[in-house]
């Protein structure tokens, strides 16, 4: 065990200094305001949950969980996502009378890192969960809200890729027969390893038509026209139903006037076992990972209530990366005072603050390096010495 | 080990439902705005810190720390306070050029609970740290900012009790001679056990004059006049210097015009070893514990920089308790639609949101219990069926 330097932080843990804090706060507030305008209500859940309940429901890999033991021998986890805790709260306390429930959150989640990481072990997610409404309208709403809130946050160049968990799944079963062989292909899609996918498909002994169908899946990306192409390679059944849902979704998105932000991508696959329908990922041109993702899931059932839900989560750190270096301008002025004119300084500061200004009041005796300090301010006033100076 | 019910949360962990969330958000925002207006800049630090560095510096009892092990065998803690992490960041990255530094924070801290607890194991603190300025003006500023931000948050009935770590300490040493005997009396003061304090004093074999001096300490509460009374029982030395500081502090507070919110209380004592000067506690009439506290401390030195600091922390949960049941009014309206008039509904919602309203868009087919659902809204509009209805 190495000795720690006094300033060291645990692996993947980061400080947020003033400039970044202000930018984060600004973007978070814009997202939150937008989400509230759509009638979603924010809730918060604890940082620590039981592993047995929320920890196992969350579908984050076990190795990525921060675990600790409580005094009764139960394992606690730092919440790895917000969807599972919100499913717990909704099932325990908020779902009633068979009515739809629109919830939102803004909070930190935790993922333990390996030594070779470099990724954050703690990051902030803003998201919504639209619970107990299984219409395609509700899937459309969360996608439209994702687009709308990203726009409000200042993002202009981005794309939401929409797929359906049922399409590829059904196609694989129709062609490969077993879930085991389907799993291998699913993993390649999840890892976005399309070369590996092609090699895997070519290694199967299948008719050339079936191989062609599996390879054509990779081409199913684009606008409304993709649905027609998808219909050509799938037989009747759940796979076809998923296309009917996606067609309706496109109409909903069109009624919102947001077609330019949305495209279909039938290769989207989630490692999360709980997705059960439409699912999507949001990308901004310059960021290598999705800035947000979501979809329909059946997780609430694990907490004993029969309710489907749909939602999205945006990673604030990646959204900030996508937004680039737009600085939030903070103008602060400084009034220096000495004892004789202290009261006058306090009154001047009050009146400037009443105008909405940010004002530092500084006892001149408290500053050792006046030159360096005055440089920090947009404006400085000196109320020093005799009152009638 | 008992089996867990699916909805259970770890001891002391709480959910925040929409009504409370909105109230918290509202009060937090008012406090933050106020703090920013005084030129303080917010920063954030990780939830997890190393026990060896920040954990041991934080001066929270070891039994109250949530601990876990990382992959290299180091112990991590969930941060028990914000002052120690901010001292780390300030020393490592922000202190420069011998200039004062005004930082603020708003974040959750963690205290492990015993079974008999009932107290929160996770709670939110909002506070400031004014670093590298050792004038009494800076102590006065943080007290004035505490008062001002509590007022802005809507609190009217409260009091800040101000003392000095040096006065009682010096009095005890002057009379009792040893630190050991002083420690016993300090503990009674910290626990606000004045009966115990009196008994302890009477058990000492001291001159009646010295006993009287120790007992008079308990009477040193009130306005400016208390300083004169305190001068009567202390001999020259550090204790007298602390009175000079408090006298100057009173003048600063008077120049802010905040005398009515501040009183002296020489019995205030902290269990935290790092306080080194003026210290204070804020009380609101109906809450049994301080809603905030603070003072001058030398903690930055533990991180290798020679800088004194002063600051305060407010507990948001206790502030909300003090504010009572003022609800934040949220008015949301609902537009119900069917497919035929979906686009019209979306457009109506857009125009209402542009006016700043909160609007839920609801596919009528997604609601099983329409009566229960409509009751949740201030206003409802139905755009259902043929377009020319």
């Amino acid at each position: 065990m190495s000795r720690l330097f006094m300033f060291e932080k645990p692996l993947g843990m980061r400080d947020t200094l003033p400039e970044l804090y202000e930018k984060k706060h600004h973007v978070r507030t814009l997202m939150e305001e937008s989400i509230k305008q759509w009638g979603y209500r924010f809730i918060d859940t604890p940082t620590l949950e039981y592993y047995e309940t929320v920890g196992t429901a969350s579908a984050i890999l076990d190795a990525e969980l921060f675990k600790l033991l409580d005094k009764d021998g139960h394992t606690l986890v730092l919440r790895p996502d917000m969807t599972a805790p919100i499913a717990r709260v909704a099932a325990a306390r908020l779902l009633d009378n068979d009515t739809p429930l629109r919830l939102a959150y803004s909070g930190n989640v935790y993922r333990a890192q390996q030594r070779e990481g470099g990724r954050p072990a703690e990051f902030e997610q803003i998201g919504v969960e639209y619970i107990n409404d299984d219409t395609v309208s509700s899937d459309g709403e969360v996608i439209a809200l994702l687009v709308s809130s990203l726009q409000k946050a200042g993002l202009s160049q981005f794309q939401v890729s929409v797929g359906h968990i049922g399409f590829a799944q059904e196609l694989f079963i129709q062609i490969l027969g077993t879930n085991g062989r389907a799993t291998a292909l699913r993993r390649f899609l999840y890892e976005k390893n399309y070369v590996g996918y092609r090699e895997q498909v070519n290694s199967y002994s299948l008719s050339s038509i079936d191989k062609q169908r599996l390879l054509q899946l990779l081409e199913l990306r684009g606008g409304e026209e993709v649905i027609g192409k998808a219909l050509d390679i799938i037989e009747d059944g759940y796979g076809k139903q998923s296309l009917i849902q996606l067609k309706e979704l496109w109409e909903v998105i069109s009624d919102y006037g947001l077609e330019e932000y949305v495209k279909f991508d039938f290769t989207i696959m989630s490692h999360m076992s709980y997705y059960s329908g439409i699912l999507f990922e949001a990308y901004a041109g310059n960021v290598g990972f999705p800035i947000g993702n979501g979809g329909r899931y059946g997780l609430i059932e694990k907490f004993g209530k029969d309710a489907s839900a749909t939602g999205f989560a945006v990673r604030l750190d990646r959204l900030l990366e996508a937004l680039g270096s737009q600085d939030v301008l903070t103008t602060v002025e400084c009034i220096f005072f000495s004892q004789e004119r202290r009261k006058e300084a306090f009154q001047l500061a009050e009146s400037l603050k009443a105008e909405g200004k940010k004002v530092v009041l500084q006892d001149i005796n408290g500053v050792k390096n006046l030159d360096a300090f005055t440089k920090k301010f947009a404006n400085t006033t000196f109320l020093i010495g005799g009152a009638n100076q």
Side-chain angles (χ1 to χ4, degrees), chain A residues 39-50:
Chain A
Y40 286 71
R41 300 191 75 186
F42 279 81
I43 68 171
D44 200 8
T45 67
T47 297
L48 290 173
E49 297 268 4
Y50 282 125

Side-chain angles (χ1 to χ4, degrees), chain A residues 130-202:
Chain A
Y130 182 166
I131 300 168
N132 207 20
D133 180 340
D134 52 18
T135 61
V136 172
S137 295
S138 62
D139 294 294
E141 174 169 313
V142 300
I143 292 172
L145 176 50
L146 173 60
V147 171
S148 173
S149 60
L150 289 175
Q151 285 176 319
K152 286 275 164 63
L155 198 64
S156 51
Q157 299 293 320
F158 65 94
Q159 192 82 47
V160 182
S161 298
V162 181
H164 195 296
I165 196 84
F167 185 82
Q169 201 126 309
E170 181 74 7
L171 183 71
F172 295 163
I173 296 291
Q174 283 180 6
I175 295 174
L176 302 172
T178 73
N179 219 332
R181 293 167 90 186
T183 301
L185 287 184
R186 272 207 305 273
R187 187 171 312 125
F188 284 117
L189 291 184
Y190 170 63
E191 292 166 354
K192 303 199 188 296
N193 178 356
Y194 305 121
V195 173
Y197 179 90
R198 279 176 216 275
E199 284 171 1
Q200 184 78 18
V201 167
N202 285 321

Side-chain angles (χ1 to χ4, degrees), chain A residues 239-265:
Chain A
K240 204 156 255 178
Q241 283 169 36
S242 71
L243 294 178
I244 293 168
Q245 282 182 27
L246 287 176
K247 195 167 156 41
E248 188 182 343
L249 180 73
W250 187 261
E251 287 160 12
V252 173
I253 296 296
S254 303
D255 280 351
Y256 279 111
L258 298 174
E259 305 98 308
E260 63 176 305
Y261 293 99
V262 177
K263 63 166 190 175
F264 289 120
D265 182 345

Side-chain angles (χ1 to χ4, degrees), chain A residues 320-331:
Chain A
L320 284 167
E321 194 186 335
L323 286 166
S325 58
Q326 328 162 332
D327 272 335
V328 180
L329 215 69
T330 310
T331 314

Side-chain angles (χ1 to χ4, degrees), chain A residues 66-80:
Chain A
F66 280 106
K67 290 182 186 171
L68 55 161
L69 274 179
D70 76 1
K71 295 181 175 70
D72 300 317
H74 289 290
T75 302
L76 310 181
V77 295
L78 271 73
R79 62 180 179 209

Side-chain angles (χ1 to χ4, degrees), chain A residues 18-35:
Chain A
E19 285 74 21
L20 180 58
Y21 188 99
E22 278 152 32
K23 228 170 115 173
K24 263 178 102 164
H25 184 77
H26 179 68
V27 171
R28 183 198 303 122
T29 302
L30 292 172
M31 291 279 300
E32 286 172 356
E33 291 302 320
S34 172
I35 288 167

